[in-house]
Amino acid sequence: MTAQPAKGYDWMPLDEAQAATARIRLDGFLRSVERRALRIAELSVGSRDEALDLVQDAMLAFVRNYAAKSEADWPPLFYRVLDSRVTDWHRRSQVRGRWLGSWWPAAREDDEDPIAMAADPVEAGPLGRLIGEDAGQALEGALRGLPLRQRQAFLLRIWEGLDVADTATAMRCGEGSVKTHLWRALAALRSALEAHR
Amino acid sequence: MKSSPDDWTEQARAVLDASAQGLDAATLSRLNRARQQALAAATPTRPALRWTRRLAIATSLLLAVTIWWPDSGPVPTAPNGPPLSPEDAELLADGALEMTDDPEFYAWLDADADHNG
């Protein structure tokens, strides 16, 4: 990347050709992640409109703060911004819920029994018995039922394809936490999808 | 045929990919606008232009302050003279100040000064 590191909006190269190239690269990156980012946000907040607002906010903050970074660092940094926005959204929702009286208890990660939820390695895949739209709805429902951190770990590692270190960067936690969240997410998803048989 | 855990995560990935590819046109349009707005925020600004703009703003502010600053200088007062003697005070109180309008009074003062001086 030829961009000059600087604060705020000053990251772009002064040369017009370089600026155009940098802009094209940035556009290409955002274009490559925007759909998955929207679905990740939507699965977390349950509303497409809210998810679109979060993705837009994340794009703006990413361009402002991280565009000057190496392109290799862009995916974890973009998802870090998005994860931050989603987390903030949940905090605000919790505050609102506290005032309005929360009628729907949040899923608690610590209540799960990892042994009971462990996958049977010889059992057929839970999605294997579901086809087409049924599989999509079942998976979406199961993902929505996951605690936020587990869902983020699953989506970033399994769907987005970030490695453990990049997922840890995106989730602002340690690699060990990522592995724990992912393991629990896989177990919970398998369990939830089994119920759709 | 049994599937491994990796198989079902592959299936999950395919399902999620399909959901992302199947977004409706209105959503894609909003995503496009969001991306364009983010990129527009990164429009480069030349340092020289930035400094010129800042200098112009500073100059304008200085000019405005100079023009509109309230005049806070000392209020002009009469120079401090010798204290008023009781005779002069009595003269002023009697309204004899009308004499100052008489040119002959000043001629008399001059003549008196020449005589004494």
Side-chain angles (χ1 to χ4, degrees):
Chain A
M1 173 104 188
T2 56
Q4 300 168 353
K7 289 194 302 180
Y9 301 142
D10 306 337
W11 63 274
M12 274 199 171
L14 297 180
D15 178 74
E16 288 184 9
Q18 287 181 327
T21 303
R23 189 185 169 96
I24 288 170
R25 285 178 181 162
L26 197 55
D27 180 68
F29 167 72
L30 292 176
R31 195 186 291 268
S32 73
V33 296
E34 64 187 11
R35 294 188 186 206
R36 288 193 301 278
L38 175 66
R39 291 293 291 131
I40 288 173
E42 189 176 6
L43 285 166
S44 292
V45 303
S47 158
R48 180 156 293 181
D49 281 339
E50 298 267 11
L52 278 164
D53 288 343
L54 291 178
V55 169
Q56 179 172 359
D57 197 22
M59 283 181 173
L60 197 60
F62 169 76
V63 168
R64 282 178 176 172
N65 298 309
Y66 297 118
K69 299 284 186 182
S70 163
E71 283 187 55
D73 295 333
W74 282 358
L77 291 173
F78 174 76
Y79 283 107
R80 183 188 183 99
V81 175
L82 183 62
D83 184 74
S84 173
R85 297 299 185 275
V86 169
T87 303
D88 287 346
W89 185 92
H90 277 277
R91 285 196 185 118
R92 289 197 301 272
S93 296
Q94 284 176 355
V95 171
R96 277 198 303 268
R98 216 172 286 149
W99 280 98
L100 297 174
S102 180
W103 292 352
W104 49 93
R108 294 176 57 187
E109 296 181 39
D110 296 338
D111 287 348
E112 298 157 5
D113 178 4
I115 303 298
M117 297 174 71
D120 182 351
V122 296
E123 183 64 21
L127 279 173
R129 301 178 193 86
L130 302 168
I131 54 171
E133 199 168 320
D134 286 344
Q137 290 175 353
L139 180 60
E140 183 156 334
L143 283 169
R144 286 186 197 277
L146 287 179
L148 174 62
R149 305 296 281 167
Q150 290 182 25
R151 182 170 50 244
Q152 293 296 84
F154 177 83
L155 292 172
L156 293 175
R157 277 286 287 129
I158 302 300
W159 190 24
E160 186 58 33
L162 300 183
D163 61 24
V164 175
D166 283 350
T167 305
T169 299
M171 294 178 63
R172 292 160 293 155
C173 66
E175 295 184 13
S177 295
V178 170
K179 292 174 184 173
T180 301
H181 288 312
L182 179 61
W183 189 84
R184 290 181 174 180
L186 290 171
L189 284 174
R190 171 177 284 273
S191 177
L193 292 172
E194 289 290 346
H196 281 81
R197 277 194 301 179
Chain B
M1 176 92 185
K2 303 293 184 183
S3 61
S4 70
D6 284 345
D7 287 338
W8 83 264
T9 56
E10 282 291 337
Q11 292 167 356
R13 193 180 298 129
V15 168
L16 289 168
D17 280 340
S19 74
Q21 291 304 316
L23 292 173
D24 59 274
T27 301
L28 293 177
S29 174
R30 284 189 63 181
L31 277 177
N32 185 52
R33 282 203 304 274
R35 178 164 29 86
Q36 295 304 326
Q37 286 177 5
L39 291 171
T43 301
T45 313
R46 292 177 183 278
L49 187 61
R50 281 200 306 274
W51 281 109
T52 304
R53 197 177 301 158
R54 287 173 190 168
L55 188 63
I57 291 170
T59 306
S60 302
L61 283 174
L62 186 64
L63 193 61
V65 166
T66 306
I67 291 172
W68 294 105
W69 191 263
D71 187 8
S72 60
V75 177
T77 56
N80 290 331
L84 203 61
S85 66
E87 292 80 9
D88 292 340
E90 190 178 355
L91 195 65
L92 288 171
D94 289 343
L97 199 59
E98 292 169 6
M99 291 173 61
T100 55
D101 293 334
D102 187 355
E104 290 180 3
F105 170 72
Y106 295 102
W108 171 77
L109 277 179
D110 288 341
D112 190 51
D114 291 343
H115 183 263
N116 293 331

